[in-house]
């Protein structure tokens, strides 16, 4: 009797247990975009480093409206004055200019009438008006970014403000995508009888890149035992993660599993209670991970989303994305699979303030167009009959 299929969660857990996070490196801020931070970043000093003006105007002392003050100098951004403010005086100041000694407030220039060498201030001024305090954004020594954070624009800005010139990040996983199949032709090549274009190679490479991987150009392997073994052997030498699509089922031309066994790649699991994606295979040789994904393009993308993406994240020590939406209401009934969870490509729409999941057209595992415009995978549990519209379903991210 065949062993019971692993659940999606069990399979994903085995993947995560098998891998070891990659080493780290230090890179300049200019090279750090989209990398995963491997060490916390804390503020080297207070930010802002000095009290400064939030407006273009005049640094003044607090007081009533209608005062006339003599303008005795200027504090520009980057060019502070060494004059201290005395009674009856104002110092011209620009946004970001340091508040001069003796001043505690700024009056915007819109609120003054400037005459030759003096101003009349039209409004009363309180201490602290239009002043940005030292350390208001970051206090020296506080942690600004935590390890595991992906460095997007905001994070790079914050790291720089915190004083960092370089950051410690995880190495990018080196990924090799291989597509098996005698029927596969390269993009744009004319098709002979029985042939199709190799969608998986470019799709899986793009997915890997978007999850932070360094990919070698995807390669194709024929349905031949020796060639499959040679191709896998080469990939295993230089990759942290090998993703091979097709050839993992039980057909007479499915050579991936025996080839991997000969190459000493140890099986961790094969087959998951998932539709599409049942024949998914996962194994390791040393620290190299191998994913054998089913050949149908939708199955390949779904299994990438559920198993490879979390692996690429974990290899980089990357925290899961903050999920704003983890559940939705199924907008149309879905026929259930009696023993496998279905990953249904859905579009998400908000209706009456609630999130609805609309199945994105025909769901066959060969229907590449069902991926177009899909926002997520709605997980429909195994069972009899159909899951009715209106039922709450969990969502899994569908990576770009
Ligand atoms: P397999 O898993 O090798 O049995 O393939 C299952 C189905 O997916 C077959 O119809 C294949 O022709 C198709 N297929 C396999 N690899 C690819 C690929 N790289 N691009 C598009 N379709 C594929
Ligand atoms: Mg095949």
């Amino acid at each position: 009797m065949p062993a019971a299929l692993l659940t999606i969660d069990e399979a994903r857990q085995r993947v995560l247990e098998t891998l070891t996070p990659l080493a780290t490196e230090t890179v300049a801020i200019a090279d750090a975009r989209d990398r995963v931070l491997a060490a916390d970043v804390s503020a080297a000093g207070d930010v802002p480093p000095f009290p400064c003006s939030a407006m273009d105007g005049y640094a003044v002392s607090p007081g009533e409206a209608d005062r006339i003050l003599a303008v005795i100098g200027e504090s520009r951004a980057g060019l502070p004055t060494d004059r201290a403010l005395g009674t009856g005086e104002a110092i011209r100041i620009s946004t970001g200019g340091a508040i001069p000694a003796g001043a505690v407030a700024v009056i915007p220039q819109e609120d003054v009438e400037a005459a030759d060498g003096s101003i009349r201030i039209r409004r009363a001024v309180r201490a602290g008006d239009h002043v940005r305090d030292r350390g208001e954004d970051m206090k020296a020594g506080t942690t600004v970014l935590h390890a595991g954070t992906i460095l997007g624009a905001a994070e790079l800005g914050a790291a720089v403000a915190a004083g960092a010139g370089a950051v410690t990040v995880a190495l990018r996983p080196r990924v090799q995508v291989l597509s098996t199949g005698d029927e596969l032709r390269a993009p744009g090549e004319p098709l002979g009888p029985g042939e199709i274009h190799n969608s998986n190679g470019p799709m899986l490479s793009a997915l890997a890149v978007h999850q932070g991987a360094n990919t070698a150009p995807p390669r194709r392997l024929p349905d031949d035992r020796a060639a499959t073994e040679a191709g896998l052997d080469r990939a295993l030498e230089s990759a942290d993660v090998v993703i091979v699509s097709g050839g993992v089922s039980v057909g007479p031309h499915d050579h991936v599993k025996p080839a991997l066994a000969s190459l000493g790649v140890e099986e961790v699991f094969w087959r998951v209670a998932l539709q599409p994606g049942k024949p998914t295979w996962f194994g390791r040789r040393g620290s190299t991970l191998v994913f054998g994904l089913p050949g149908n393009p939708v199955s390949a993308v779904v299994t990438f989303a559920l198993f490879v993406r979390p692996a690429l994240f974990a290899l980089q020590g990357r925290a899961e994305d903050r999920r704003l939406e983890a559940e939705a209401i199924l907008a149309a009934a879905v026929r259930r699979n009696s023993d496998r969870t279905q990953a249904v490509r859905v579009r998400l729409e908000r209706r009456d303030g609630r999130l609805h999941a609309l199945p994105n057209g025909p769901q066959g595992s060969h229907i590449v167009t069902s991926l177009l415009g899909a926002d997520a995978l709605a997980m429909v549990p195994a069972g009899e009959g159909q899951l009715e519209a209106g039922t709450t379903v969990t969502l899994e991210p569908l990576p770009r």
Side-chain angles (χ1 to χ4, degrees):
M1 229 187 58
L5 299 179
L6 284 185
T7 66
I8 295 166
D9 285 343
E10 284 166 349
R12 191 153 38 189
Q13 197 50 42
R14 297 224 184 150
V15 170
L16 296 177
E17 283 163 10
T18 300
L19 63 82
T20 312
L22 298 173
T24 64
E25 63 178 338
T26 298
V27 297
I29 289 288
D31 301 320
R33 179 172 55 92
D34 292 343
R35 301 293 295 269
V36 181
L37 197 60
D40 293 354
V41 171
S42 48
D46 287 337
V47 180
F50 48 87
C52 59
S53 178
M55 299 290 279
D56 289 323
Y58 296 85
V60 294
S61 49
E64 297 304 305
D66 283 329
R67 285 181 292 156
I68 297 192
L69 305 172
V71 180
I72 59 152
E74 183 176 20
S75 176
R76 291 161 56 181
L79 278 182
T81 178
D82 49 15
R83 299 289 300 269
L85 191 77
T87 314
E89 293 176 344
I91 291 176
R92 189 161 176 75
I93 197 162
S94 40
T95 306
I99 302 293
V104 290
V106 168
I107 179 118
Q109 70 187 36
E110 299 86 310
D111 293 336
V112 310
E113 284 153 27
D116 219 16
S118 69
I119 53 168
R120 187 179 76 82
I121 63 175
R122 286 199 282 253
R123 305 213 285 112
V125 174
R126 286 165 307 149
D129 281 357
H130 305 296
V131 172
R132 297 171 177 166
D133 287 335
R134 174 177 177 153
E136 213 177 80
D137 191 2
M138 304 174 189
K139 294 262 183 285
T142 53
T143 302
V144 176
L145 296 170
H146 292 274
T149 304
I150 182 146
L151 295 168
E155 291 75 17
L156 291 174
V160 170
V167 281
T168 304
V169 297
L171 290 180
R172 289 188 180 280
R174 295 165 304 163
V175 169
Q176 174 70 63
V177 172
L178 301 170
S179 309
T180 71
D182 283 338
E183 73 278 32
L184 302 179
R185 285 292 155 262
E189 267 187 22
L191 298 178
E195 294 179 342
I196 59 168
H197 287 118
N198 176 0
S199 304
N200 291 352
M203 272 201 305
L204 293 169
S205 280
L207 284 166
V209 167
H210 286 150
Q211 319 314 308
N214 257 337
T215 55
R219 289 193 290 121
R220 186 189 75 85
L221 300 178
D223 290 320
D224 165 86
R225 172 60 205 273
T228 301
E229 191 168 321
L232 285 166
D233 191 19
R234 193 174 139 193
L236 284 163
E237 267 161 33
S238 54
D240 299 307
V241 179
V242 176
I243 304 173
V244 51
S245 82
V248 286
S249 296
V250 289
H253 307 293
D254 292 335
H255 300 291
V256 170
K257 293 199 313 130
L260 286 169
S262 307
L263 292 165
V265 182
E266 172 196 334
E267 177 175 308
V268 177
F269 67 77
W270 178 44
R271 299 210 287 198
V272 182
L274 166 66
Q275 184 188 42
K278 178 176 166 185
T280 304
W281 189 97
F282 172 67
R284 63 152 350 145
R285 189 176 78 178
S287 60
T288 306
L289 308 179
V290 180
F291 289 91
L293 306 185
N296 276 305
V298 173
S299 316
V301 170
V302 164
T303 52
F304 182 99
L306 295 174
F307 308 114
V308 185
R309 174 182 179 275
L312 294 177
F313 276 26
L315 283 169
Q316 298 171 83
R318 177 171 169 178
E320 253 304 323
D321 292 334
R322 193 160 59 101
R323 301 265 302 277
L324 297 178
E325 311 292 2
E327 280 182 353
I329 296 165
L330 196 60
V334 172
R335 173 132 20 102
R336 300 221 257 183
N337 181 299
S338 57
D339 49 17
R340 289 184 279 154
T341 299
Q342 275 179 88
V344 179
R345 279 80 67 212
V346 293
R347 282 177 295 119
L348 298 176
E349 270 180 25
R350 199 165 283 286
R351 295 177 180 170
D352 304 326
R354 304 178 74 192
L355 197 67
H356 287 71
L358 290 74
N360 200 30
Q363 295 283 320
S365 59
H366 60 298
I367 309 282
V368 185
T369 51
S370 73
L371 295 166
L372 300 177
D375 298 307
L377 299 172
M379 306 309 281
V380 171
E384 300 309 321
Q386 55 179 28
L387 196 68
E388 301 300 342
T391 313
T392 299
V393 284
T394 23
L395 300 176
E396 289 279 350
L398 190 56
R400 211 157 65 85

